[in-house]
Amino acid sequence: MKYDQARWTDDSEDLYEPLLSEKANKTVAVEDSPLPDDLTRDSLSLPDPAEPELARHYTRLSQMNYGVESGPFPLGSCTMKYNPSFTEDVAGRADAAIHPDRPDSTVQGTLALCHRLQDYLGRIGGMDAVTLQPPAGAAGEFTGIQIAKAYHEHNDDERPEVVIPDSAHGTNFATAAMAGYEVVELPSGDDGRVDIEALEAAVGDDTAALMLTNPNTLGLFERDIERIADIVHDAGGLLYYDGANLNALLGRARPGDMGFDVMHYNVHKTFATPHGGGGPGAGPVGVREGLAQFLPNPHVRERGGNYEHYEPSNSVGKVHGFYGNWPVLLKTFAYIARLGDEGLRDASAKAVLNANYLAEQIEYDVPFGPFHHEFVASAGEQDAADAAKRMLDYGVHPPTTKWPEIVDEALMTEPTESETKRSLDQLAAAFNAVAGDSDAELADAPSRPTAKRIDQATAARTPRLSWQALDDT
Amino acid sequence: MSDSDSHATGSPYAPQTAAETAAMLDAVGADDLESLFDVPESVAFDGEFGINARSERATRREVAGLLSRNADLTEFLGRGHYDHYVPSVVDDLASRSEFLTSYTQYQPEVAQGFLQALFEFQSILVELTGLGVANCSMYDDATALGEAATLSQRVRSVSGDRILVPEHLRESKRAVLSNYADGPALTIESYPMTDGAVDVPALSDQLGDDTAMVYAESPTVRGVIEERLGAIGDLAHDHEALFCLGSDPLALSLLERPVDVGADVVVGDAASLGTGTAYGFGLGMFVTREEYLRQVPGRLVGASEDAADRRAYTLTLQTREQHIRKERATSNICTNQAWVALRTAMHAAWLGPDGLVDLAEDCVTRARDLADRLDDIVGVKAPIHGRHHFREFLARTDQPASAIVADLAAEGFAVHAVDDHLVQVCTTETTADATDEFVAAFREVAK
């Protein structure tokens, strides 16, 4: 594996002082500047590597890191699929480097691309209008909930609660709280889906919205979605679609057709997906027609062959300082254009097949089903976190662990469409090897990567978050 | 090769062969791919998106064709988004797939490289600010300011919900702040500026014990270097309000350390290093005092040891985050701007301390020189504020600002229109070669 370069393990540590470190810092005095001394700092102390040293430093760091191109990365709910090189090239185009404050008439190309992408996303989600502004999925959630809030305020309808299933992404809860809502947690039914009776009990005059992921985080499609939509709508609430799992539905079902009023797209998951170590992503938001007036400003529209920014009449305002994560959106456009209808449908089908096939091959108990893009296995008697560490020894990235909490010792697994049968068989072999390993073997894992098991408790108990906070030892 | 061995499928990135698909369908007991979808007929989508698949080449050509509709302008634009030259080595190294295609470091044993890079990013911000805790990236300056406002409400010892911001604040930044303030019911109020800098006596009158946070910027949106940050910090602390300072890493390389002027939080856009212009693509900087550690939003990387007692890095204090504490989390931020932070750290390291200080000094000198040259033009006064400036400044023009902007665009240059007769000009090393032509064009349009 790329990350497991033997020459960077054990013994080399003593020989190889990290280049960028407090010890390697150079201090320069700040004097004779064009500003008065009392407006400037006295000195600056930072690393000062030559370019060849810099290149070696970061190359070495990259070798101590696992990405999708290092091997399978079945991190459930994160949709870690192959990242096409060409979308990176498109996003890196020199002529895409535009300042956001240019007059509309001088950026017709950029605005035309935005408009075309808004249109594509609207078609894919079954939504009437789409904003590209939110810079991540959680920012999309915040935008969507602000839109729901603006809608109710517009109708002089005070509704203090947002209802969220217990299996939902944690961001849903945090987003609702951030927007000032009280969260009503909805317990899942015995089949892992929304419990209709519990929903009827939870939804009422106080409900601003129900936030729902479909298929949900257990990989299960909410078959009663029409009933769910009716219950929420009859009570005067809005139905919010968390797009994190949209990869499982492309071309088979659309949130708009299922009754959702607002949705976000995690374009870094569903489409071109370099996750960049945790970002940047982008979280466009789609709405049905009556809600377009609340979209963030500015919005892009076409008039007589020209494109322009404008402010929707009852806009929620802004959720990003400029127009969002533009390079990510450019990748998204390129990816959608490359695949088209047939490719998007095929990607979704293969993702679903891969999840079901892998679920079939592994020896851990996999409750519920049938699955869409992901499934949650139970490590049973084993500790899921330990099992995950042991998987590292078998050369693959482990699944998401201990979540959702509905399944004991959860191993939440999403292979995506990028894997072949061969690599899924290898992945299954890794799961099954771990399933047969002893607790002692699990507790000692991992032994192969550059770092052995890392002490998380000490990191949290005595936080050392910079060179400046490290001991001299 | 027979059809069943071919990888030619609908998606070029879903690589299983037809034979594999068949074998896998057989293994799961399904007749065909469609039967795998557990979607009731009544909500099934049987239409088309109407999106035609294009080849790589055709897609590239299409994007190039669209972008060619943009006017070819040399941008003397700033106001929060800056074009500094990014060395090729940053593009090259950041594009290594182990960085680019990795995810949040939930398994630190195989993510030591990215974790160390983020730890280095945090360390650089700690050095630049003198404050103890930097998170490892948020979306942009505006959202970081929003997070600072909500942090102030959580950590302040007395109640109060007023957030004071400068009258000269980028409108889009204020709009984002308002959205963040909406949930916790904070109120946003502007305080006046005099000659481009904080009117400290007026701010003092406006401050009260119900003020949760005072926000000031240096450089300001107009490029002015604020000279009384220490006094602003003292005023805020007199009322037990947080003092939040907005800046950027390049400016901080030269200007007084935030810790020395009493800053409790430093926010801003760190994309000024490592990114160049990308239609407002940002990187939120968030640095604060150690005492607020457990209220900090976003991700933190900490140093620890592995089982062999070697230095190792890991995400830490995750109990603050939304995947553990849900609605009690310090923020909803999950996917952030980690890869952009990697680029910023790379660019800062490439420049080194000498390079950073030199580049920051060049910003001051270039802005001063360009303002002087524009001031020599009949019908132009620049800068309008008798202050020190960083990168950018305002010019007053006899001609309407809208006409100046349009006429300059016709000459191939972009500047901001700020008010009826005010334009704003930003200069960095990337526009240095075009400065003479720009001044000549300005002379023509200002007549």
Side-chain angles (χ1 to χ4, degrees):
Chain A
M1 307 309 301
K2 286 182 188 176
Y3 71 87
D4 196 5
Q5 302 265 333
R7 63 198 165 119
W8 299 124
T9 58
D10 302 51
D11 303 344
S12 63
E13 277 308 298
D14 297 333
L15 300 173
Y16 200 93
E17 177 68 31
L19 174 72
L20 300 190
S21 70
E22 193 178 23
K23 289 177 193 167
N25 282 354
K26 173 184 176 186
T27 302
V28 301
V30 178
E31 51 197 9
D32 303 326
S33 86
L35 294 173
D37 285 351
D38 59 353
L39 293 184
T40 60
R41 60 192 302 136
D42 296 334
S43 65
L44 183 64
S45 186
L46 288 173
D48 190 34
E51 185 170 314
E53 295 177 298
L54 186 84
R56 280 188 183 158
H57 174 73
Y58 284 108
T59 300
R60 174 173 177 260
L61 292 191
S62 75
Q63 288 168 338
M64 299 193 296
N65 219 61
Y66 189 102
V68 170
E69 293 179 15
S70 309
F73 212 132
L75 206 53
S77 227
C78 299
T79 315
M80 295 294 291
K81 42 175 153 166
Y82 171 72
N83 169 54
S85 302
F86 110 96
T87 60
E88 290 302 307
D89 282 355
V90 168
R93 295 180 62 92
D95 57 7
I98 291 286
H99 193 284
D101 279 357
R102 279 209 197 181
D104 290 353
S105 63
T106 70
V107 287
Q108 286 296 299
T110 298
L111 295 182
L113 253 167
C114 290
H115 193 263
R116 204 169 285 187
L117 181 58
Q118 287 172 193
D119 177 50
Y120 283 176
L121 291 174
R123 294 189 211 186
I124 290 167
M127 289 284 157
D128 295 309
V130 175
T131 175
L132 304 177
Q133 193 175 107
E141 291 176 25
F142 181 61
T143 308
I145 288 301
Q146 288 295 85
I147 288 170
K149 197 173 181 180
Y151 165 81
H152 293 305
E153 281 172 4
H154 188 70
N155 296 333
D156 289 324
D157 192 1
E158 199 176 323
R159 292 173 171 266
E161 295 176 356
V162 168
V163 181
I164 307 173
D166 56 5
S167 63
H169 298 104
T171 48
N172 290 181
F173 301 84
T175 297
M178 181 178 164
Y181 282 107
E182 289 160 39
V183 174
V184 176
E185 186 166 309
L186 191 64
S188 296
D190 294 339
D191 63 350
R193 295 176 172 84
V194 169
D195 179 330
I196 295 294
E197 278 182 26
L199 179 70
E200 281 175 330
V203 167
D205 292 344
D206 287 341
T207 306
L210 169 69
M211 298 180 83
L212 197 62
T213 309
N214 193 20
N216 67 25
T217 57
L218 292 161
L220 309 173
F221 191 83
E222 299 285 357
R223 297 187 200 110
D224 294 328
I225 186 60
E226 290 165 293
R227 182 84 198 284
I228 292 168
D230 286 346
I231 291 168
V232 174
H233 289 151
D234 288 349
L238 295 179
L239 196 54
Y240 181 92
Y241 183 83
D242 179 326
N245 300 339
L246 185 64
N247 196 47
L249 285 189
L250 295 172
R252 289 351 183 273
R254 305 193 302 175
D257 302 338
M258 290 189 260
F260 287 93
D261 304 291
V262 191
M263 70 174 290
H264 78 263
Y265 307 74
N266 298 74
V267 297
H268 48 291
K269 295 183 182 185
T270 308
F271 306 107
T273 70
H275 284 62
V285 165
V287 293
R288 65 171 169 77
E289 199 169 5
L291 297 174
Q293 59 182 309
F294 304 109
L295 287 175
N297 69 55
H299 194 57
V300 178
R301 70 180 169 196
E302 187 250 323
R303 284 196 153 181
N306 289 316
Y307 297 90
E308 63 182 19
H309 281 125
Y310 79 104
E311 296 196 5
S313 55
N314 291 301
S315 172
V316 296
K318 287 186 69 65
V319 293
H320 185 267
F322 293 103
Y323 307 120
N325 283 344
W326 164 244
V328 180
L329 299 165
L330 203 46
K331 292 176 205 183
T332 304
F333 174 82
Y335 182 90
I336 293 173
R338 176 81 184 90
L339 266 65
D341 273 82
E342 193 198 347
L344 293 170
R345 286 177 62 86
D346 183 61
S348 206
K350 301 289 171 55
V352 173
L353 175 59
N354 282 0
N356 282 287
Y357 178 75
L358 184 61
E360 190 74 26
Q361 304 305 308
I362 70 173
E363 287 160 16
Y364 287 116
D365 180 40
V366 183
F368 309 117
F371 304 104
H372 274 96
H373 60 307
E374 66 190 0
F375 61 87
V376 182
S378 173
E381 299 297 305
Q382 293 181 340
D383 181 285
D386 286 346
K389 296 301 178 201
R390 185 63 175 149
M391 284 192 74
L392 298 173
D393 284 336
Y394 293 101
V396 297
H397 196 286
T400 300
T401 59
K402 305 227 176 197
W403 186 79
E405 288 125 357
I406 303 165
V407 174
D408 288 337
E409 300 303 329
L411 296 169
M412 185 188 196
T413 312
E414 181 180 10
T416 83
E417 69 271 22
S418 302
E419 305 304 322
T420 59
K421 178 173 180 296
R422 183 165 169 269
S423 73
L424 291 172
D425 288 340
Q426 288 172 338
L427 195 51
F431 268 92
N432 295 338
V434 174
D437 281 338
S438 69
D439 287 348
E441 284 170 305
L442 266 51
D444 284 344
S447 58
R448 281 192 62 206
T450 45
K452 306 286 177 256
R453 184 78 69 101
I454 292 169
D455 182 352
Q456 311 266 8
T458 297
R461 205 164 44 238
T462 51
R464 291 176 297 165
L465 308 175
S466 65
W467 300 318
Q468 294 84 344
L470 290 176
D471 299 333
D472 286 334
T473 52
Chain B
M1 190 187 283
S2 73
D3 279 354
S4 65
D5 293 332
S6 168
H7 288 281
T9 63
S11 165
Y13 316 119
Q16 54 189 253
T17 63
E20 283 181 316
T21 303
M24 290 162 70
L25 282 169
D26 193 46
V28 301
D31 294 336
D32 56 24
L33 288 169
E34 294 312 313
S35 65
L36 294 170
F37 287 87
D38 185 26
V39 176
E41 188 102 11
S42 53
V43 294
F45 174 68
D46 57 4
E48 296 285 329
F49 301 142
I51 303 171
N52 297 321
R54 284 82 118 183
S55 66
E56 268 197 32
R57 204 166 67 88
T59 306
R60 283 170 181 273
R61 206 166 49 218
E62 182 176 341
V63 171
L66 286 169
L67 291 178
S68 71
R69 296 193 210 166
N70 288 341
D72 183 15
L73 300 181
T74 303
E75 298 167 337
F76 284 79
L77 298 170
R79 291 183 78 83
H81 190 63
Y82 301 104
D83 189 17
H84 285 287
Y85 175 74
V86 180
S88 300
V89 72
V90 169
D91 281 333
D92 205 26
L93 294 171
S95 300
R96 290 184 66 88
S97 72
E98 301 91 334
F99 286 138
L100 187 67
T101 75
S102 64
Y103 194 50
T104 305
Q105 298 76 23
Y106 294 130
Q107 297 294 340
E109 291 83 3
V110 290
Q112 284 299 294
F114 218 120
L115 286 163
Q116 186 177 332
L118 292 172
F119 186 86
E120 290 167 2
F121 171 78
Q122 293 173 181
S123 302
I124 290 168
L125 292 186
V126 165
E127 167 62 19
L128 287 171
T129 59
L131 298 175
V133 179
N135 75 16
C136 62
S137 93
M138 313 193 80
Y139 308 133
D140 71 346
D141 55 358
T143 54
L145 173 59
E147 298 276 9
T150 56
L151 173 105
S152 75
Q153 196 187 42
R154 290 197 298 274
V155 303
R156 194 164 177 258
S157 54
V158 288
S159 67
D161 53 18
R162 292 166 68 218
I163 305 290
L164 301 187
V165 301
E167 172 192 9
H168 298 162
L169 182 66
R170 204 178 73 227
E171 183 43 46
S172 61
K173 199 184 276 186
R174 186 181 165 121
V176 173
L177 174 61
S178 295
N179 243 326
Y180 275 70
D182 184 46
L186 296 164
T187 56
I188 314 295
E189 285 175 37
S190 293
Y191 59 80
M193 311 282 279
T194 302
D195 195 24
V198 174
D199 182 335
V200 176
L203 172 63
S204 176
D205 290 345
Q206 221 166 315
L207 261 163
D209 291 340
D210 55 353
T211 306
M213 186 175 96
V214 176
Y215 176 65
E217 299 184 331
S218 184
T220 68
V221 65
R222 297 179 162 195
V224 170
I225 295 168
E226 183 61 64
E227 295 179 32
R228 301 192 62 190
L229 291 174
I232 298 165
D234 288 345
L235 275 179
H237 294 153
D238 287 347
H239 294 275
E240 292 184 48
L242 255 60
F243 175 34
C244 179
L245 174 65
S247 194
D248 75 82
L250 186 56
L252 290 171
S253 304
L254 176 64
L255 303 181
E256 2 174 31
R257 286 198 315 162
V259 70
D260 295 334
V261 296
D264 301 296
V265 189
V266 176
V267 298
D269 216 299
S272 53
L273 293 176
T275 308
T277 51
Y279 212 48
F281 187 46
L283 168 58
M285 170 171 74
F286 193 101
V287 199
T288 189
R289 295 182 184 280
E290 279 165 75
E291 61 189 286
Y292 304 139
L293 174 61
R294 284 167 206 278
Q295 292 297 327
V296 169
R299 300 239 156 84
L300 296 169
V301 175
S304 187
E305 277 84 40
D306 74 358
D309 297 329
R310 290 171 307 192
R311 164 79 34 84
Y313 302 94
T314 181
L315 294 178
T316 193
L317 299 168
Q318 289 183 278
T319 49
R320 299 166 302 107
E321 294 189 62
Q322 70 306 118
H323 56 279
I324 293 183
R325 216 160 57 146
K326 294 185 169 179
E327 70 266 32
R328 287 176 295 120
T330 51
S331 165
N332 78 336
I333 192 169
C334 186
T335 291
N336 52 54
Q337 302 287 102
W339 185 74
V340 195
L342 171 76
R343 294 180 62 100
T344 294
M346 285 176 171
H347 193 177
W350 184 80
L351 285 164
D354 292 296
L356 280 163
V357 173
D358 286 350
L359 185 56
E361 289 179 348
D362 281 352
C363 288
V364 174
T365 310
R366 277 183 213 287
R368 181 181 296 171
D369 292 349
L370 182 57
D372 285 349
R373 293 180 68 181
L374 296 183
D375 196 52
D376 286 342
I377 297 173
V378 176
V380 179
K381 159 86 177 131
I384 68 160
H385 299 306
R387 306 276 182 185
H388 299 287
H389 290 79
F390 195 87
R391 288 198 197 94
E392 53 198 322
F393 55 88
L394 284 186
R396 179 172 289 111
T397 55
D398 290 350
Q399 295 292 331
S402 55
I404 296 278
V405 168
D407 292 349
L408 276 176
E411 300 291 324
F413 299 99
V415 298
H416 305 273
V418 174
D419 208 336
D420 290 351
H421 287 273
L422 291 181
V423 297
Q424 185 165 337
V425 178
C426 177
T427 176
T428 72
E429 71 282 5
T430 63
T431 46
D433 293 345
T435 303
D436 289 348
E437 287 170 50
F438 174 69
V439 172
F442 213 110
R443 182 170 290 116
E444 285 303 307
V445 305
K447 278 180 187 167

